[in-house]
Amino acid sequence: MFSPMKTYHQLVDFASKYKNIVVALGMFDGLHIGHQKIIRTAAEQANRIHGTTFVFSFTNHPRAIVDSLGAPRRISSEQVSRRILRNLGVDVLVEIPFTPAFADTSPEEFIHLLYRYFSPQYVVVGENYTFGRKGVGTPQLLRGIGRRYTIETIVCASVLYDNVPISSTRIRTYIEQGDITHVNELLGYPFTMIGTVIHGQARGRLLGFPTANIALFEFYEILPNGVYAVTVLYHNHIYSAVANIGNNPTFGSCDRRMEVHIMDFDGDLYGKKILVSFHKRIRSERRFDSVDELISQIKSDKECAERALQETFHLQEKISMVI
């Protein structure tokens, strides 16, 4: 059983509250396996010195401030990210707003800020980590200046996939393509969304396949319209399910949403939060000429989803990262 992870949205005197602090630094959007390596390294080092594992990051993407094109959409929701951080052994998450004033901080000022508020024994970063005004700070600079404050720097090598470093940008490309297999391989866990079940038009129930409807938000990365084999976590139980993302073209357009048919479940989910993990893309969304044709296809989709989930190796182990 994991201890609750504490969260702060402002800088305070952490050094007086926690002992032997080890800080993982970065913008951990998506928490892919490269990010996990950095955070696990910090947690292992904190355990060795009987200390406290911190993650220091930002509530908004720095590109929202420094890039005229704005920030990319987030890969994981705040709720999913916090579950993963907890499961990686993080004791304290510090997320502050990235502001124009913070963007103007020099590398030296940033390192002094680390010393002032955290007084860490170690900081852990990836080899491509940058910091300070215009991102001119490097891990080598952090190591050199940090030693003046008795801060040791651990630099983690990038994790490669097909001989190319894993990155959030690369994962976003796979998400846009609907390539859930590669998305999940680079994340190290199933691409997951948490949503509150809303009222739909009850068409699924009338067709014999009741669905839980979840609204989609454009500030998060969303898979392309289509049908997917998924699992649903509700009340600590994992259910096999099939999900459709789209606009219901057979019945005329509607707001883009996710509809999830949960197998072997009979209950009222309205207003409840469920966690939906994606495992395989079954097909693209399409319009059907008749209701009977649609029902036949839904039956086929359900069978495909059941087979896909049975074939998923160590499914429980993979889902455990976000439970």
Side-chain angles (χ1 to χ4, degrees):
M1 225 16 220
F2 291 98
S3 300
M5 182 179 70
K6 298 185 185 302
T7 303
Y8 295 85
H9 292 300
Q10 60 183 358
L11 294 173
V12 300
D13 183 6
F14 299 112
S16 67
K17 295 175 177 288
Y18 302 95
K19 67 176 184 177
N20 298 336
I21 291 175
V22 180
V23 185
L25 299 172
M27 187 65 206
F28 299 114
D29 182 22
L31 286 167
H32 56 64
I33 56 179
H35 294 153
Q36 293 170 39
K37 178 181 178 181
I38 295 168
I39 295 167
R40 282 198 178 100
T41 299
E44 289 165 3
Q45 188 62 33
N47 287 336
R48 276 195 286 269
I49 63 174
H50 305 289
T52 310
T53 307
F54 273 69
V55 163
F56 179 28
S57 191
F58 303 104
T59 53
N60 56 318
H61 200 290
R63 278 177 54 187
I65 302 299
V66 302
D67 188 341
S68 60
L69 296 178
R73 293 186 294 189
R74 294 184 71 105
I75 294 173
S76 298
S77 70
E78 178 183 281
Q79 293 162 304
V80 170
S81 294
R82 290 187 181 182
R83 285 170 177 261
I84 296 168
L85 288 172
R86 179 201 65 193
N87 290 342
L88 289 170
V90 175
D91 300 305
V92 183
L93 169 64
V94 181
E95 282 188 318
I96 64 172
F98 190 87
T99 63
F102 199 96
D104 199 43
T105 301
S106 70
E108 293 79 4
E109 289 169 335
F110 177 73
I111 296 170
H112 179 72
L113 176 150
L114 289 175
Y115 174 74
R116 176 184 174 188
Y117 290 103
F118 298 89
S119 190
Q121 302 291 308
Y122 296 88
V123 293
V124 185
V125 298
E127 63 181 351
N128 296 319
Y129 177 70
T130 61
F131 62 98
R133 188 183 301 120
K134 296 183 179 180
V136 298
T138 63
Q140 293 71 31
L141 183 64
L142 179 58
R143 177 179 281 132
I145 298 178
R147 282 177 179 155
R148 302 177 196 169
Y149 296 96
T150 67
I151 300 171
E152 289 297 321
T153 302
I154 300 173
V155 182
C156 295
S158 298
V159 177
L160 304 182
Y161 184 86
D162 288 341
N163 296 316
V164 179
I166 293 174
S167 68
S168 298
T169 299
R170 193 175 175 191
I171 293 170
R172 286 190 180 90
T173 299
Y174 286 133
I175 292 174
E176 290 170 5
Q177 296 170 348
D179 188 347
I180 195 65
T181 299
H182 278 104
V183 170
N184 291 353
E185 286 181 358
L186 270 61
L187 287 176
Y189 60 89
F191 179 74
T192 298
M193 300 169 65
I194 291 180
T196 301
V197 178
I198 60 175
H199 285 276
Q201 295 173 306
R203 285 201 183 100
R205 188 172 297 279
L206 293 174
L207 295 174
F209 301 94
T211 60
N213 294 273
I214 297 173
L216 301 174
F217 299 98
E218 291 302 321
F219 41 85
Y220 295 124
E221 291 290 350
I222 302 170
L223 290 160
N225 289 1
V227 178
Y228 298 85
V230 303
T231 50
V232 170
L233 175 68
Y234 177 66
H235 277 187
N236 297 317
H237 187 85
I238 296 172
Y239 297 90
S240 296
V242 58
N244 179 77
I245 294 176
N247 306 87
N248 245 328
T250 301
F251 297 100
S253 63
C254 67
D255 291 338
R256 191 170 185 236
R257 66 180 61 182
M258 177 165 62
E259 298 175 283
V260 186
H261 172 64
I262 306 173
M263 304 174 200
D264 302 318
F265 178 84
D266 183 19
D268 183 1
L269 290 174
Y270 291 125
K272 304 293 186 3
K273 284 188 177 180
I274 60 174
L275 184 149
V276 182
S277 295
F278 292 77
H279 301 279
K280 185 175 181 179
R281 191 168 196 234
I282 296 174
R283 63 173 176 86
S284 300
E285 185 181 48
R286 53 170 289 207
R287 184 183 184 280
F288 294 93
D289 294 328
S290 69
V291 171
D292 287 342
E293 187 181 357
L294 173 60
I295 291 173
S296 177
Q297 184 63 59
I298 293 174
K299 289 179 180 177
S300 176
D301 293 340
K302 183 176 177 181
E303 292 170 359
C304 287
E306 288 175 324
R307 287 196 300 271
L309 294 172
Q310 288 171 357
E311 294 167 1
T312 303
F313 185 60
H314 291 326
L315 182 61
Q316 178 72 39
E317 180 182 336
K318 292 180 179 180
I319 297 172
S320 68
M321 179 66 77
V322 291
I323 294 179

